[in-house]
Amino acid sequence: MVQKYQSPVRVYKYPFELVMAAYEKRFPTCPEIPVFLGSEILHESRSDDGAIHIIERSCKLNVDAPRLLKKIAGVEYVFFIQKNTVNWKERTLRIEAHNETFANRVVVLETCSYSVHPENEEWTCFEQSASLDIKSFFGFESTVEKIAMKQYTSNIKRGKEVIEHYLKELISQGITFIPRWTPPPVCGQKDERTPAGGHDADDVPLESGAPGTTKEQTGSSCPPAEAVSPDADKLDADYIERYLGQLTPMQESCLIRLRQWLQEMHKGKIPKDEHILRFLRARDFNIDKAREMLCQSLSWRKQYQVDYILQSWRPPALLDEYYTGGWHYQDKDGRPLYILRLGQMDTKGLVKALGEESLLRHVLSINEEGQKRCEENTNTFGRPITSWTCLVDLEGLNMRHLWRPGVKALLRIIEVVEDNYPETLGRLLIVRAPRVFPVLWTLVSPFINENTRQKFLIYSGNNYQGPGGLVDYVDKDVIPDFLGGDCMCTVPEGGLVPKSLYQTEEEPENSDHIRLWTETIYHSASVLRGAPHEIVVEILEGESVITWDFDILKGDVVFSLFHSKRAPETNHKEATLPSTSAAGDNVQLIDKAWVLGVDYSRMESPLVCREGESIQGSHVTRWPGFYILQWKMHGPLPCSGTSLPRVDDVLASLQVSSHKCKLIYYYEVLASKDFSRSSSNSSLQSFKPVPCCSTCVKRVRNSRLLQLR
């Protein structure tokens, strides 16, 4: 398995030329980096104007590995080839390195770059990426991989410290300014230029005390800037530390790589960085597992319009009176504090009066509000706060709370929250746990993630009072009055819901799923091998617009649009699989006897859609008739003549773990009066429902088969 690393952007608040002078001090040896034993220049060249300077070095490194492993390998040191290309005109340095030792067994590639900060030309940015591929190593592949990754990551942040060390050394010597590179004079013109920065540090006459430059100005002449990313698509190391917390180099790399993947697959809108980080934490920074979990959650949020719940959801008056939970200041760590008086809540009455649907919506709105409060507290307290604390009072808990349908609803809600709001609970304080609590805990705990369970602190009786209790986690002046504190708490006291408010049961309590938004505009579908999913749109007037929006949840599919004058017949066909029970949401319309070009024609070129992609597009119809939107499973293209199938196609077919793809889709037909063409006829103006309300519309500009995300 290839191990990859991608650094965030690290910013030096010094000009590029001064950073380069500090960088050159690392050669030929650098006592500040113990593993770097020395270097030797293999090749050096400069462009005619001196703007480009290329140096190729052989670098000798010590490896902190067990003596036995070194003896088996037969080496004490390893050698790397490093090629540095500095462009003084563009003010960039590109570093490319690869291993020379064991190159046939281990492949190490590293690329680094120094460049000018895009928003402040007096600052310098640094980025670093690397990959490690151990093909074979005397049976010690796993050991070598761990040693290499440990040693590499331990030296990553050390690299910035070394540059800053040499920057301070230069400043202590009075070197605070290095002039930028300027082109050489034209032949015959007197050279009155200041010596250029396009030379080795030892050859450049660095100015000390130059007009307008002082030691205090270097690195601090610009006004303080907030920790923001130097590029909208990249993450700054200072930003990560300020808003996301302390991460190891590999954790930073996982965040950046997953973020980059989302930018490519979900063009236009990606989750907030702290949201992505939560899913990585939930999967112990396994990027593949985190990506799968996050993509499923993003599709869930889109399908059920969860992003708009704080604007669209208004809890019924019954919840305001009988739901015994609410936000209450924050704990000692600055986390938002949510108080739930579960023992005083009539769970049976709430389920019977409101149903599972309303309770789930309310819990989701609480989680959305919690994330919003975390962001506010991060800005208020000046440190990253990404989770909240929940204080649960169980006084009054009895066998009534173990009502089976109520417990079942609770388990379903826990499952939804665990899948879509991981790592949002920082601490759970349970107080006044009665004797019946172990029974409830036995039922609930198997559905709670192990990482989440470790955050539980349970107090029985009055053990929560005094040292070791609530005062260790919540300030005394914030502890609610009903727990012996001095703070008045506005959380409702609850009570029994009157039976007169109970709803009549319209569906069985043992329904397999909680229906979230029954009015969702999205449909689910399965695409099976040999059984595409198709929908038909009848167009009565020639010039109309068909728009579509779909997400690929699983597998790769090919999307096509066809036209036919004949009305197709709906056919729920059985796929060529051992079991056809999964084909319930698969519909086929194009009869196998139909001939392409005779019975129906293709309107758009086939579009290959990869797993995780989100696609939007539209088509202006030319003729009345029946338009068929088709999604079929993507597979290797058929080879023609004697040509062999491409390797990429073979690998793609092998990577399909099952014979089923999943997607959610939405489509709409717009009459010609609802849109206007531009003068070039290259785009169109169309209407699309706003997710928070199926009756509201907003204008969005779509182009044909254009990926907007």
Side-chain angles (χ1 to χ4, degrees):
M1 178 179 178
V2 179
Q3 293 286 348
K4 294 183 179 181
Y5 170 77
Q6 174 63 56
S7 76
V9 178
R10 307 193 191 278
V11 178
Y12 299 96
K13 298 183 180 181
Y14 299 92
F16 175 79
E17 289 73 21
L18 197 61
V19 173
M20 290 299 97
Y23 175 78
E24 285 297 326
K25 283 184 168 291
R26 296 174 48 172
F27 303 101
T29 60
C30 181
E32 300 298 321
I33 307 179
V35 298
F36 183 55
L37 302 180
S39 63
E40 176 185 354
I41 295 179
L42 302 178
H43 173 75
E44 183 173 7
S45 63
R46 286 191 176 92
S47 61
D48 293 338
D49 60 1
I52 299 177
H53 185 191
I54 301 175
I55 300 179
E56 190 170 331
R57 296 182 174 94
S58 175
C59 301
K60 182 180 179 181
L61 303 179
N62 184 29
V63 179
D64 184 15
R67 182 67 183 173
L68 177 60
L69 185 59
K70 285 185 176 182
K71 188 174 181 180
I72 294 174
V75 297
E76 284 290 334
Y77 313 106
V78 295
F79 290 87
F80 277 73
I81 302 299
Q82 183 189 75
K83 180 182 178 182
N84 292 358
T85 305
V86 60
N87 188 323
W88 294 105
K89 181 180 179 180
E90 301 293 336
R91 304 178 75 196
T92 61
L93 169 64
R94 180 176 176 83
I95 305 169
E96 299 170 289
H98 65 273
N99 63 305
E100 187 178 26
T101 307
F102 295 118
N104 60 332
R105 295 180 177 272
V106 180
V107 179
V108 180
L109 301 175
E110 181 184 50
T111 302
C112 306
S113 65
Y114 288 86
S115 59
V116 177
H117 194 291
E119 296 178 2
N120 190 330
E121 62 179 12
E122 296 301 318
W123 290 358
T124 305
C125 296
F126 172 76
E127 289 186 80
Q128 180 179 10
S129 62
S131 64
L132 169 66
D133 184 8
I134 301 178
K135 299 178 180 179
S136 64
F137 205 86
F138 312 107
F140 291 91
E141 290 80 10
S142 178
T143 302
V144 172
E145 181 180 284
K146 292 179 181 178
I147 292 174
M149 295 305 298
K150 180 181 179 181
Q151 187 156 333
Y152 185 80
T153 55
S154 65
N155 288 303
I156 288 173
K157 291 189 176 181
R158 180 62 180 158
K160 182 178 181 181
E161 295 171 358
V162 170
I163 295 294
E164 291 176 339
H165 166 78
Y166 286 123
L167 283 167
K168 292 177 182 178
E169 185 177 283
L170 288 171
I171 295 172
S172 67
Q173 297 170 0
I175 302 172
T176 60
F177 173 76
I178 300 178
R180 297 183 187 178
W181 177 89
T182 54
V186 179
C187 183
Q189 179 181 346
K190 185 178 179 180
D191 185 3
E192 298 178 348
R193 299 177 298 116
T194 306
H199 304 278
D200 288 340
D202 295 337
D203 299 332
V204 178
L206 306 176
E207 297 185 6
S208 173
T213 61
T214 64
K215 178 178 178 179
E216 288 73 23
Q217 286 179 312
T218 302
S220 60
S221 58
C222 302
E226 292 185 7
V228 296
S229 174
D231 188 313
D233 294 332
K234 298 180 180 179
L235 289 183
D236 183 293
D238 295 334
Y239 163 84
I240 291 177
E241 185 174 352
R242 165 64 178 82
Y243 291 99
L244 304 179
Q246 293 285 348
L247 301 178
T248 67
M250 291 309 298
Q251 289 174 346
E252 290 177 339
S253 176
C254 290
L255 172 62
I256 292 167
R257 288 165 55 202
L258 181 53
R259 191 175 185 268
Q260 289 174 342
W261 184 86
L262 288 168
Q263 287 172 335
E264 295 171 0
M265 294 294 103
H266 293 257
K267 295 179 176 65
K269 181 181 180 181
I270 65 171
K272 295 180 178 179
D273 299 322
E274 55 269 27
H275 193 69
I276 300 174
L277 185 58
R278 289 186 180 109
F279 283 83
L280 283 167
R281 292 188 190 278
R283 291 297 178 261
D284 295 324
F285 286 88
N286 183 309
I287 194 168
D288 293 329
K289 293 181 179 179
R291 177 170 55 219
E292 180 182 0
M293 182 184 184
L294 178 57
C295 286
Q296 291 177 353
S297 178
L298 292 177
S299 298
W300 171 81
R301 294 180 69 88
K302 180 177 180 178
Q303 183 172 5
Y304 298 112
Q305 307 156 35
V306 180
D307 287 337
Y308 304 92
I309 190 171
L310 291 181
Q311 293 80 27
S312 62
W313 169 246
R314 295 293 178 267
L318 190 67
L319 273 178
D320 289 334
E321 183 176 355
Y322 292 99
Y323 190 87
T324 56
W327 294 101
H328 182 78
Y329 301 101
Q330 54 272 330
D331 67 5
K332 285 188 174 182
D333 295 324
R335 296 189 183 103
L337 178 62
Y338 190 84
I339 293 180
L340 180 64
R341 304 185 68 177
L342 185 60
Q344 305 298 317
M345 185 184 300
D346 181 9
T347 53
K348 180 178 181 178
L350 288 174
V351 171
K352 283 187 168 290
L354 298 172
E356 297 177 8
E357 176 85 3
S358 293
L359 287 177
L360 177 56
R361 291 193 191 190
H362 191 58
V363 172
L364 295 183
S365 70
I366 292 171
N367 280 271
E368 293 293 314
E369 176 68 21
Q371 293 183 142
K372 180 180 176 182
R373 287 174 178 262
C374 285
E375 294 179 24
E376 294 172 351
N377 285 15
T378 294
N379 294 324
T380 300
F381 296 106
R383 62 179 183 273
I385 296 172
T386 59
S387 60
W388 55 83
T389 293
C390 185
L391 173 58
V392 181
D393 179 18
L394 294 184
E395 185 183 46
L397 189 76
N398 53 43
M399 294 303 295
R400 178 184 176 85
H401 292 86
L402 300 182
W403 178 59
R404 191 171 180 274
V407 173
K408 198 172 182 180
L410 175 62
L411 296 179
R412 290 171 176 169
I413 291 174
I414 289 175
E415 184 178 5
V416 172
V417 172
E418 283 280 305
D419 289 343
N420 299 283
Y421 299 92
E423 297 298 316
T424 52
L425 182 65
R427 182 179 294 119
L428 181 66
L429 303 171
I430 300 177
V431 299
R432 301 200 280 194
R435 292 182 177 180
V436 74
F437 173 72
V439 180
L440 180 62
W441 178 249
T442 301
L443 295 173
V444 172
S445 59
F447 295 86
I448 301 176
N449 181 274
E450 177 62 27
N451 291 338
T452 304
R453 289 203 299 267
Q454 293 177 357
K455 301 171 185 176
F456 284 34
L457 293 172
I458 303 173
Y459 300 92
S460 61
N462 294 324
N463 292 340
Y464 67 92
Q465 298 177 345
L470 291 183
V471 291
D472 285 8
Y473 308 100
V474 181
D475 288 328
K476 190 174 182 180
D477 56 354
V478 174
I479 296 178
D481 52 342
F482 61 84
L483 292 178
D486 300 326
C487 186
M488 294 296 296
C489 184
T490 59
V491 173
E493 295 184 0
L496 295 177
V497 177
K499 292 185 178 181
S500 60
L501 300 178
Y502 286 8
Q503 294 179 346
T504 57
E505 299 197 15
E506 298 178 355
E507 58 184 25
E509 292 179 353
N510 61 351
S511 176
D512 291 334
H513 302 285
I514 298 179
R515 293 179 297 109
L516 288 174
W517 278 258
T518 54
E519 67 273 16
T520 177
I521 61 177
Y522 288 91
H523 306 274
S524 300
S526 296
V527 179
L528 306 151
R529 186 171 298 281
H533 179 69
E534 297 164 340
I535 57 175
V536 64
V537 178
E538 184 177 5
I539 299 297
L540 300 178
E541 56 178 292
E543 201 171 70
S544 299
V545 181
I546 303 174
T547 67
W548 53 81
D549 177 4
F550 59 88
D551 284 13
I552 309 301
L553 306 183
K554 179 182 179 182
D556 299 339
V557 303
V558 178
F559 174 71
S560 301
L561 179 67
F562 302 99
H563 172 263
S564 175
K565 296 180 180 179
R566 299 170 54 183
E569 295 182 2
T570 302
N571 185 12
H572 290 265
K573 293 186 178 181
E574 293 187 354
T576 56
L577 292 176
S579 173
T580 60
S581 60
D585 53 354
N586 175 271
V587 178
Q588 297 178 67
L589 300 171
I590 298 177
D591 194 281
K592 288 186 177 181
W594 283 17
V595 178
L596 182 63
V598 178
D599 299 288
Y600 67 109
S601 57
R602 187 184 299 276
M603 294 289 99
E604 296 282 358
S605 299
L607 178 66
V608 177
C609 309
R610 303 295 181 183
E611 180 175 323
E613 285 189 332
S614 182
I615 309 295
Q616 286 183 331
S618 58
H619 177 82
V620 180
T621 63
R622 296 181 181 179
W623 312 282
F626 299 90
Y627 288 79
I628 301 172
L629 283 70
Q630 181 194 78
W631 293 268
K632 69 177 181 179
M633 183 173 289
H634 175 57
L637 297 174
C639 53
S640 59
T642 59
S643 62
L644 295 174
R646 296 187 304 132
V647 174
D648 291 345
D649 294 330
V650 175
L651 292 177
S653 65
L654 292 176
Q655 290 173 353
V656 178
S657 59
S658 68
H659 298 279
K660 182 177 180 181
C661 299
K662 294 182 179 179
L663 65 123
I664 58 172
Y665 67 91
Y666 163 79
Y667 70 95
E668 182 181 13
V669 179
L670 307 172
S672 58
K673 64 181 179 180
D674 292 333
F675 76 96
S676 59
R677 297 196 190 188
S678 64
S679 57
S680 63
N681 290 327
S682 61
S683 62
L684 53 91
Q685 197 89 345
S686 66
F687 293 94
K688 184 170 182 178
V690 178
C692 63
C693 178
S694 59
T695 60
C696 298
V697 294
K698 73 172 182 178
R699 293 182 183 271
V700 295
R701 186 173 295 274
N702 292 327
S703 62
R704 300 167 72 226
L705 278 173
L706 174 66
Q707 286 184 237
L708 297 181
R709 294 192 184 95

